[in-house]
Amino acid sequence: MASGLLLTSVLTGCATTESPEVSLTAGGSATVTISNMRFNPSILRIRAGDTVTWVFADQGTEHGVVSNANAQEYFESGVQSSGVYSHKFIRVGMSRYFCSEHASMGGTIIVR
């Protein structure tokens, strides 16, 4: 358990115990819920071709999902307070992302 928390801390830049990793099957999809000022789950392991959907569910608080400059793929949701944003990941690698409105919020998509 401790090593899993350390990995999560290293990948997202902050310690957390509430966002488990999620693994998907080929051709799958995953949902990241944005609520309580965090991405949950904060780390996803997916396969190339899978789609990740972020659900903006933070009671009207505005958030924006944006890939980091060194992410394997570029994606950007724009600022939203409700609704969803989806991105299909094609390239193998790691894409870290953050909230454009709240610098303390971050997550990681690992594509195999």
Side-chain angles (χ1 to χ4, degrees):
M1 179 70 177
S3 64
L5 290 176
L6 177 59
L7 175 61
T8 300
S9 297
V10 169
L11 290 177
T12 64
C14 62
T16 181
T17 59
E18 297 184 23
S19 298
E21 291 187 30
V22 175
S23 296
L24 303 177
T25 59
S29 62
T31 300
V32 175
T33 302
I34 304 170
S35 65
N36 297 317
M37 298 296 289
R38 69 181 62 148
F39 297 109
N40 190 25
S42 63
I43 301 172
L44 290 174
R45 291 183 184 276
I46 63 174
R47 292 195 172 114
D50 289 345
T51 299
V52 175
T53 299
W54 287 265
V55 177
F56 293 77
D58 207 359
Q59 302 177 354
T61 301
E62 291 186 333
H63 297 286
V65 177
V66 181
S67 57
N68 286 357
N70 61 348
Q72 189 67 27
E73 290 190 37
Y74 176 79
F75 50 96
E76 181 177 1
S77 68
V79 177
Q80 298 178 218
S81 60
S82 63
V84 299
Y85 167 72
S86 297
H87 180 79
K88 183 175 184 176
F89 286 83
I90 304 300
R91 299 175 68 191
V92 172
M94 181 167 42
S95 293
R96 290 189 176 127
Y97 64 93
F98 63 96
C99 175
S100 63
E101 304 303 297
H102 307 98
S104 64
M105 294 174 60
T108 305
I109 308 294
I110 301 167
V111 182
R112 294 183 179 178

